[in-house]
Amino acid sequence: MKKFLALLLSMILVLSLTACGGGGGEDSKPADESKPADTQPPADSGSEPAEGKTVKVGLICIGDENDQGYTYNFIRGKEAATEALAAKGITVEWVTKWNIGEDSG
């Protein structure tokens, strides 16, 4: 009975890994390949950046901005992302929530 149960569980494991695998089937094409070629912009169009575009982004932090650790690194990343997008003409509007615990629902 134990051998049968072990064999059954191992077969289920193999089948579940096969089902979750990244097969090369037709359904696994990236979204960009499904678009017609004439609707895709060129990779390096050289056009001007979209001036006046605003993106709203939310950031949830487990601590405050003075913790000099986990949250501090996210704030530095937020500032770097803001600068990089500003160079492309995109304004980022940040909504930040502080001191939200990991177990908060």
Side-chain angles (χ1 to χ4, degrees):
M1 183 67 175
K2 287 182 182 180
K3 287 182 182 181
F4 176 73
L5 184 59
L7 181 63
L8 180 66
L9 289 175
S10 63
M11 289 180 67
I12 291 172
L13 177 65
V14 169
L15 290 175
S16 66
L17 290 175
T18 304
C20 295
E26 193 169 314
D27 293 337
S28 65
K29 287 183 181 176
D32 293 337
E33 291 182 13
S34 64
K35 293 181 183 177
D38 59 340
T39 61
Q40 291 181 350
D44 187 18
S45 61
S47 63
E48 295 296 318
E51 295 295 327
K53 184 173 181 180
T54 302
V55 178
K56 191 171 188 176
V57 181
L59 179 65
I60 300 173
C61 300
I62 62 171
D64 63 359
E65 58 190 313
N66 299 321
D67 74 352
Q68 297 296 315
Y70 187 79
T71 304
Y72 175 73
N73 287 324
F74 278 103
I75 300 304
R76 287 181 41 208
K78 176 184 110 169
E79 292 166 357
T82 302
E83 290 175 12
L85 291 171
K88 294 181 179 182
I90 300 172
T91 304
V92 181
E93 183 180 326
W94 290 94
V95 177
T96 306
K97 299 292 181 182
W98 304 99
N99 297 318
I100 305 296
E102 292 177 4
D103 57 351
S104 296

